Amino acid sequence: MSRLRCAILDDYFNLALDVADWQKLSDRVDVTVFSHPFASERAAASALADFEIICAMRERTAFPGPLFESLPKLKLLLTSGMRNAAIDLETARARGIVIGGTQYSRDPTAPLTMGLILELTRGIGRENARMHAGEPWQTFAGVEIEGMTLGIVGLGKLGSKMAGIAKAFGMNVIAWSPNLTPEKCAGAGVGYATKVELFAKADIVTIHVVLSERSRGLVSREDLARMKPTAFLVNTARGPIVDEQALLEALQQRRIAGAGLDVFSVEPLPVEHPFRKLDNLVLTPHLGYATKDGLGIHYSQMVEAIDAFTEGGELPRRLA
């Protein structure tokens, strides 16, 4: 096989080449790293036209059908994770492009979720910034989460992990999702609630469902309106699951106490976005899965997949 070109996309941290053994492929593959997001689909098509292999990081770069049609040399597309809503799998299959994924050893998103909850309720980050800026002593009186009710939307693997962490902090936990049953809640040691009950009763609502056409807009304007004025919303799942315009208005009008967001409908979040101007909103740039440990696993498994593909073997984790 002639030498192939591999593009590693959206390596914001410049870690990809350090955390995996890409030298294993050096006799067959030339690797190019793209550290910054493409400005448009046209820019992506232009930059990637000569690559046979692409390694994508989650949904940072979308691959709709028209982009695939602009990449005539593409043979293998790898994504971190075992699902990626931003990839048009049907078009990829039709064009004979092989799609592969990677797995996690563990998911660090639940601890980040608790970090956002603690920032919202105790102001650790903002008070740290004030101390470093030489400003006067305390200005933020926090609230205690022990005894509060955490409402979890989605009680899968991640939601269940979040429930365990919350209970360790002394929180009461209730959960809801479209297919959740009281029996499953009982098995996880949490209370079952209807959607209406969860948004009305919870002191903090946290989102842990997968983005799909079914879950897009799942947290609606009406749901936000049911929340207590003292309640917080945390989203570390995917931005489009929440009606962002409705959330923006609720925060601007202080109809809820605040929110913590790690994910957004458009990423990176535009510099001029009104979310950036709110003092009752904690923002992080999609840090949920972004640890050196996790990225090392993703990139190592991508090397493994490319090695198998270029040697004519089966992909360890094929998606299409």
Side-chain angles (χ1 to χ4, degrees), residues 242-263:
V242 177
D243 183 335
E244 285 189 346
Q245 182 59 36
L247 177 60
L248 174 64
E249 293 170 11
L251 292 167
Q252 288 173 329
Q253 297 166 19
R254 299 191 179 275
R255 286 187 273 110
I256 62 174
L261 303 179
D262 187 49
V263 290

Side-chain angles (χ1 to χ4, degrees), residues 10-312:
D10 300 304
D11 181 18
Y12 299 170
F13 309 105
N14 290 306
L15 282 173
L17 298 183
D18 295 330
V19 295
D21 184 15
W22 296 91
Q23 285 298 314
K24 184 176 182 179
L25 308 171
S26 61
D27 60 327
R28 290 156 279 162
V29 180
D30 296 319
V31 177
T32 301
V33 177
F34 293 86
S35 299
H36 302 287
F38 298 113
S40 64
E41 186 179 313
R42 177 180 292 184
S46 175
L48 301 174
D50 291 329
F51 288 89
E52 291 86 7
I53 303 169
I54 294 175
C55 297
M57 182 51 61
R58 303 295 289 262
E59 294 96 354
R60 289 178 177 178
T61 295
F63 283 85
L67 180 55
F68 280 124
E69 293 167 6
S70 300
L71 304 176
K73 295 185 178 181
L74 183 60
K75 296 180 172 65
L76 173 66
L77 173 63
L78 300 172
T79 177
S80 57
M82 292 301 291
R83 60 170 69 90
N84 188 325
I87 296 175
D88 184 339
L89 294 176
E90 185 175 343
T91 298
R93 291 189 190 99
R95 296 184 65 83
I97 299 167
V98 176
I99 310 291
T102 64
Q103 295 174 318
Y104 292 91
S105 61
R106 53 186 180 267
D107 193 323
T109 303
L112 178 76
T113 302
M114 182 52 70
L116 289 172
I117 290 172
L118 292 174
E119 174 59 27
L120 286 166
T121 56
R122 299 304 304 271
I124 300 167
R126 76 184 73 180
E127 291 301 295
N128 171 70
R130 293 184 66 260
M131 292 285 284
H132 281 285
E135 295 185 16
W137 204 231
Q138 299 174 0
T139 62
F140 182 81
V143 293
E144 299 177 16
I145 63 172
E146 185 173 357
M148 280 189 176
T149 295
L150 179 70
I152 300 178
V153 177
L155 196 64
K157 181 179 179 181
L158 185 52
S160 296
K161 183 176 181 178
M162 189 63 220
I165 294 173
K167 288 191 288 184
F169 277 82
M171 302 185 76
N172 305 311
V173 182
I174 58 176
W176 170 86
S177 70
N179 295 322
L180 189 60
T181 63
E183 291 74 22
K184 184 172 181 181
C185 284
V190 305
Y192 174 80
T194 65
K195 189 183 186 188
V196 169
E197 290 170 341
L198 184 141
F199 280 90
K201 292 181 178 180
D203 298 295
I204 302 169
V205 175
T206 180
I207 314 300
H208 298 290
V209 293
V210 173
L211 177 63
S212 66
E213 286 309 309
R214 185 180 178 188
S215 66
R216 191 175 294 272
L218 181 67
V219 179
S220 67
R221 182 178 297 274
E222 291 73 24
D223 297 319
L224 296 172
R226 294 186 181 100
M227 294 177 67
K228 304 173 185 178
T230 55
F232 301 95
L233 178 83
V234 177
N235 187 9
T236 57
R238 289 295 184 274
I241 294 170
V242 177
D243 183 335
E244 285 189 346
Q245 182 59 36
L247 177 60
L248 174 64
E249 293 170 11
L251 292 167
Q252 288 173 329
Q253 297 166 19
R254 299 191 179 275
R255 286 187 273 110
I256 62 174
L261 303 179
D262 187 49
V263 290
F264 310 92
S265 293
V266 176
E267 296 184 4
L269 186 69
V271 174
E272 69 280 3
H273 197 286
F275 275 163
R276 292 181 182 260
K277 299 177 176 62
L278 299 178
D279 63 3
N280 56 350
L281 177 57
V282 176
L283 303 173
T284 52
H286 207 150
L287 298 178
Y289 66 96
T291 66
K292 289 183 179 179
D293 310 79
L295 292 169
I297 292 169
H298 288 313
Y299 287 125
S300 294
Q301 291 185 5
M302 288 178 179
V303 170
E304 179 187 3
I306 294 169
D307 185 39
F309 181 79
T310 56
E311 292 291 348

